[in-house]
Amino acid sequence: MSPAHTHPRLGQVPGARARSRRAASLAPEQKAEVQRVGAGSIEELSINTIRTLSIDAVQQADSGHPGTPMALAPLVYTLWQDFLRFDPEDPIWPNRDRFVLSNGHASMVLYSMLYLTGVKAVNAEYERPGEPAVTLEDIKRFREIGSKCPGHPEYRLTTGVETTTGPLGQGCATSVGMAIAGDWLAKHFNRPRFTMFDYSVYTVCGDGDMMEGVASEAASLAGHLMLGNLCWIYDSNRVTIEGHTDITFSEDVATRFLAYGWNVLRVGDANDTERIAQAIERFRRTNDVPTLIIVESHIGYGSPHKHDTSAAHGEPLGEEEVRLAKRSYGWPEDAKFLVPDGVREHFRAGIGRRGAKLRKAWASMSESYRAKYPDLAEELEQMQRRELPDGWDADLPSFPADAKGLATRDSSAKVLNAIAPHYPWLVGGSADLAPSTKTRLTFEQAGDFEADTYGGRNFHFGIREHAMGAILNGLALCKLRPYGSTFLTFSDYMKPPMRLSALMQLPVTFIFSHDSIGLGQDGPTHQPVEQLIALRSIPGLVTLRPADANEVVEAWRTIVRRARQPSCLVLSRQALPTFDRKRYASAKGVARGAYVMADAEHGKPEVILIGTGSEVAICAEAYEVLLRDGVAARLVSMPSWELFEQQSQAYRDSVLPPEVTARVSVEAGSVIGWDRYVGDGGAKIGMHTFGSSAPLKDLLHKFGFTLQDVLDAAMKQIERTRQKA
């Protein structure tokens, strides 16, 4: 690394006299316990309790990562005990500081803190605290079924875990979303003498996080936005699973972050709690840029044979090494899961007392705030409960029949701008493609979120799709209702955070336009083929591909009502006809995933045509021809597989009667999975190769998406079933 004096914003934390700590008053028997364990102070006793709980849990599970908790215990202790604005009795109060463990393999350091500080669990609605979030029994059952201590931290499973982490870099990028949310909330809700939001976001990350591109994308945006409430604490232990990082990682991280516009500090020893405290204090005095604190640590600290080795990273120490490590801490070598008297009391007197005081003061202020600003207070409460504001759908449009129609990206823009004025915490933007995805909020007062205008509702993520997805998760975790957009083919860049969004049950809306070969001459690099089936493969994610403007309205209505589930809205670039809903069934059927748009006489079809999105129009043309020719056909629009699968078997059979086996699916994407709806013998018109660069009409002919192709497939299906009869 370059020397500190060469960097104008790189501060080497100066050596200073040890500051006095507020030690808890211990009863005589508790002091005896401290003496028995051999710790020099209650601080050392507490730190070593974190270390040994982590060691014992990993050893008992015979699986996990003990080395990083052993190294980071002093850092996490100092942050939680002396700085974190967090009340263990009410771990979800809105203005709490957020703690994110991005290097989630170190999960036991977090579980140890949740247990030792007495964090209370919240109910299923994530609203009210009750039983302990983590018990000692949970720690003893680390990585076992039913334990609140899984291998990597999971939001909703374990209270006190602010976001699910595991894939490296995701926690870092998500924390940027949390910091953005903090600034937006402050601008929207704070008033003179009423500071409703001023929380900080602390993210502990490691060498792996620094290598992942998503963290770099997010750090770049955080620096641009000058997020002074964001602090990343980089555990630089220089060890990964394959060995020392010098085999892959030799860049000057400090210089990189200075180039991003961050304030950079360094602590030379992770065991030096005084310098750690000074660095955090300096962050708290820095309001105009985010802060990176580089902390030099030793993975597996205290383990005589695995100190500074990759062996401490991804496997238990082993029974003999556990004893030796405990000996180095002055700990009873054969004691397991020991929590000495006085440790939990010490945390109650520190973070517990401070957090309760801060939370109660905030709650008291909230009462006065409600009296003076009742409308804003109501918004805040609705937002926290993930409720919809009254009248959010008052101005939803209805589109008249139109043979020429609109691109669904255009009708979506109209719907989005009809909803947003009535939904104050609906915010979002694009990865530099808002003019193409049509996701800009254009109503008066919408504004742009930038470093000098944190209250704007249009976000600009830059060409950073991966970071955008994770930032959206961070916004949703702070109870905003976010959306982000790009082209469907670039959803590949976003799959990791989308997967985590589904895992966390977050109401994030991912808007993807340019949904097929219909985008034309940009060619196969931009024409999605396999993306729809990839999205549908993510458990808990709802994907909707509407067929016309009125289906877009109902798709948005469906999405907004889902308070604990992410959704994808997949939209066309090309214009699609708006169906005459006097001729065809109401678009309200979108809410059920699939519905009969038009049917054979007496509802007894001989063949069923199933389409999604832009291909429903082709199916409708074919239906009309078959009807004129006296063929009993049924037209089905299926905008969402997931919603359709949630319906009763009776409803699904009413749309796709089992006795009607002559079926044709039409979708300009991979045909994988369509067997579920057309059967083994059904026809699947779709993409079997990548696309091509050509005008749309030429592409439709080349890849078989014409009226004649659908008619031919339908007649072959009818002939097949007649022969079997």
Side-chain angles (χ1 to χ4, degrees), residues 28 42 76 78 91 97 130 140 202 230 236 254 273 394 487 542 559 626 631 667 719:
I42 186 62
V76 175
T78 303
D97 285 347
K140 291 178 180 178
Y202 297 93
L230 178 65
S236 177
T273 57
F487 293 168
V542 171
I559 287 168
L626 292 171
V631 177
E667 182 175 70
E719 182 63 27

Side-chain angles (χ1 to χ4, degrees), residues 89-408:
E89 291 291 323
D90 187 357
I92 57 173
W93 69 288
N95 198 34
R96 69 190 181 279
D97 285 347
R98 269 64 170 182
F99 174 83
V100 175
L101 186 69
S102 190
N103 45 350
H105 52 270
S107 57
M108 265 312 306
V109 75
L110 176 54
Y111 301 146
S112 296
M113 293 306 299
L114 297 179
Y115 168 65
L116 293 173
T117 60
V119 173
K120 295 291 182 66
V122 295
N123 61 357
E125 286 71 37
Y126 235 63
E127 290 173 0
R128 293 192 182 91
E131 298 300 314
V134 170
T135 64
L136 191 58
E137 185 61 27
D138 286 318
I139 289 176
K140 291 178 180 178
R141 299 178 60 246
F142 175 56
R143 291 189 168 220
E144 293 184 12
I145 289 178
S147 173
K148 294 297 179 66
C149 300
H152 293 81
E154 295 183 32
Y155 174 76
R156 297 190 70 86
L157 177 65
T158 313
T159 301
V161 172
E162 298 283 7
T163 181
T164 298
T165 57
L168 291 173
Q170 290 295 324
C172 288
T174 301
S175 73
V176 172
M178 293 175 174
I180 290 172
D183 283 330
W184 189 92
L185 291 165
K187 188 70 173 180
H188 186 75
F189 288 106
N190 289 2
R191 293 295 183 270
R193 296 186 294 108
F194 292 98
T195 303
M196 301 301 292
F197 288 96
D198 63 348
Y199 65 76
S200 296
V201 181
Y202 297 93
T203 304
V204 175
C205 49
D207 293 298
D209 293 287
M210 291 296 107
M211 296 184 205
E212 288 285 1
V214 65
S216 299
E217 289 182 23
S220 173
L221 183 59
H224 168 75
L225 293 174
M226 302 175 69
L227 302 177
N229 58 350
L230 178 65
C231 179
W232 288 5
I233 304 175
Y234 167 31
D235 169 35
S236 177
N237 62 42
R238 303 165 301 283
V239 173
T240 59
I241 289 175
E242 290 189 355
H244 286 273
T245 56
D246 55 11
I247 64 174
T248 58
F249 192 57
S250 53
E251 68 194 47
D252 186 335
V253 173
T255 299
R256 172 154 66 96
F257 275 75
L258 285 167
Y260 289 149
W262 288 52
N263 176 43
V264 181
L265 307 173
R266 192 192 308 278
V267 175
D269 181 3
N271 291 304
D272 191 338
T273 57
E274 305 300 331
R275 292 198 175 194
I276 290 170
Q278 291 166 9
I280 296 171
E281 287 169 347
R282 185 169 295 182
F283 154 67
R284 286 157 62 95
R285 295 194 302 269
T286 303
N287 300 315
D288 56 346
V289 291
T291 293
L292 177 72
I293 302 174
I294 302 173
V295 179
E296 305 288 341
S297 75
H298 296 279
I299 195 168
Y301 177 82
S303 171
H305 301 107
K306 297 191 176 183
H307 176 99
D308 278 345
T309 70
S310 59
H313 188 290
E315 61 189 45
L317 296 179
E319 293 291 349
E320 181 57 28
E321 194 70 11
V322 167
R323 283 192 287 271
L324 294 174
K326 289 180 178 177
R327 182 186 301 172
S328 75
Y329 303 146
W331 206 259
E333 295 178 24
D334 295 320
K336 293 185 177 181
F337 302 101
L338 173 63
V339 180
D341 290 344
V343 170
R344 300 192 76 192
E345 293 80 1
H346 177 56
F347 282 116
R348 279 199 293 272
I351 184 175
R353 183 180 298 165
R354 183 182 67 254
K357 181 179 179 181
L358 289 166
R359 190 259 304 171
K360 289 174 182 177
W362 187 89
S364 176
M365 179 179 61
S366 297
E367 292 300 316
S368 300
Y369 183 79
R370 169 169 282 282
K372 188 163 186 178
Y373 303 105
D375 292 342
L376 283 173
E378 179 64 19
E379 275 188 23
L380 179 53
E381 290 188 11
Q382 287 182 321
M383 187 180 68
Q384 293 302 310
R385 296 192 297 263
R386 296 202 189 279
E387 295 176 352
L388 294 175
D390 294 338
W392 70 270
D393 56 352
D395 292 331
L396 285 179
S398 177
F399 293 90
D402 183 353
K404 183 179 179 181
L406 290 168
T408 51

